[in-house]
Amino acid sequence: MAKKLSLQTINAKLDLLLKNQKKLMTEETEIESAEKKVLNQEEKELNALKQLKEIEEEIKKDVGLHPLKSFTLKDGARGVVGAFFGAVAHYTFIYGMKVAESIDVYRAGFLYLLTFAIGGIFLYATGFRKIKDPKLLKFLPMRLTVLYATSIIMSVIVLILFNPDFGKEFITSYKQVATVSLTAIIGACTADLIGKD
């Protein structure tokens, strides 16, 4: 009987041991499950942080003003001064008036187009070339048009100031503005880009 008791005791202890082992395995599974939940939660939080950073970068791009994106009164004044000095520097307007005498109206019209194209090339090569954002590149034609108009207006003003006969004959005036505006656009574009980032 003593042997039976010890077998019963052993069986009871084995049963208890199996119960404890099952309990430990259940607890271990629960711990692993909880760890997976924590890891999943951390991964979700990291993804959310990445998304927030991307959104922040987009907002910075949309909200932050690029110096070439805005066109202020100060920029306009800078363009006016640059166009004036471009037309007056080394008395290029005198040479422009002499050239205007020897060209026809078609060449003068071509000079207006050439002036616009050179202004565009100048602005792109010196200020807009580094810009990869297409949203900012759409401002190139607007800036160019304003600077082109500024250079034409300043060419007319310079010719009025220094040539008393300007404006008496339309065709002669048209050709003179065409020849002087080329140097004026270069001066306007140069002055516009001074101080830009």
Side-chain angles (χ1 to χ4, degrees):
M1 264 259 192
K3 277 189 174 183
K4 271 191 171 183
L5 275 178
S6 74
L7 266 179
Q8 281 180 348
T9 306
I10 291 175
N11 282 339
K13 286 186 179 186
L14 280 175
D15 286 342
L16 185 62
L17 185 64
L18 285 173
K19 255 187 189 178
N20 286 338
Q21 192 173 14
K22 281 182 183 178
K23 189 177 178 184
L24 284 174
M25 287 180 71
T26 305
E27 288 177 1
E28 191 174 314
T29 306
E30 288 174 2
I31 289 172
E32 286 177 0
S33 176
E35 285 177 355
K36 282 182 183 177
K37 286 180 183 176
V38 168
L39 288 174
N40 285 340
Q41 186 64 29
E42 286 178 358
E43 191 174 324
K44 285 179 185 176
E45 288 176 5
L46 286 174
N47 287 336
L49 281 174
K50 284 181 186 177
Q51 287 177 342
L52 284 175
K53 282 192 177 191
E54 289 172 5
I55 291 170
E56 181 183 9
E57 290 300 318
E58 285 180 32
I59 290 172
K60 282 181 183 178
K61 284 180 185 177
D62 290 342
V63 173
L65 275 178
H66 191 278
L68 292 174
K69 190 173 181 179
S70 63
F71 196 80
T72 63
L73 188 59
K74 184 178 177 183
D75 295 323
R78 190 181 298 130
V80 167
V81 170
F84 180 79
F85 282 110
V88 174
H90 303 290
Y91 298 101
T92 55
F93 66 92
I94 293 174
Y95 184 69
M97 291 187 314
K98 286 183 183 177
V99 171
E101 292 172 7
S102 62
I103 64 171
D104 59 9
V105 175
Y106 299 109
R107 286 188 182 177
F110 177 73
L111 275 176
Y112 282 106
L113 295 174
L114 183 66
T115 299
F116 191 81
I118 287 176
I121 292 167
F122 194 87
L123 273 181
Y124 179 76
T126 57
F128 281 86
R129 179 180 39 134
K130 298 174 186 172
I131 297 173
K132 304 296 183 216
D133 187 4
K135 289 180 184 177
L136 291 178
L137 280 177
K138 72 180 179 183
F139 288 95
L140 175 65
M142 180 186 73
R143 286 184 89 80
L144 176 59
T145 303
V146 170
L147 291 173
Y148 178 74
T150 302
S151 68
I152 297 292
I153 292 167
M154 289 311 296
S155 298
V156 169
I157 291 171
V158 165
L159 288 167
I160 288 171
L161 289 174
F162 294 102
N163 182 10
D165 294 332
F166 180 78
K168 290 184 179 175
E169 292 182 33
F170 175 76
I171 297 203
T172 304
S173 300
Y174 177 79
K175 293 190 296 184
Q176 287 175 346
V177 170
T179 56
V180 173
S181 65
L182 189 56
T183 56
I185 191 82
I186 292 171
C189 290
T190 302
D192 180 61
L193 293 171
I194 293 173
K196 301 289 184 202
D197 291 333

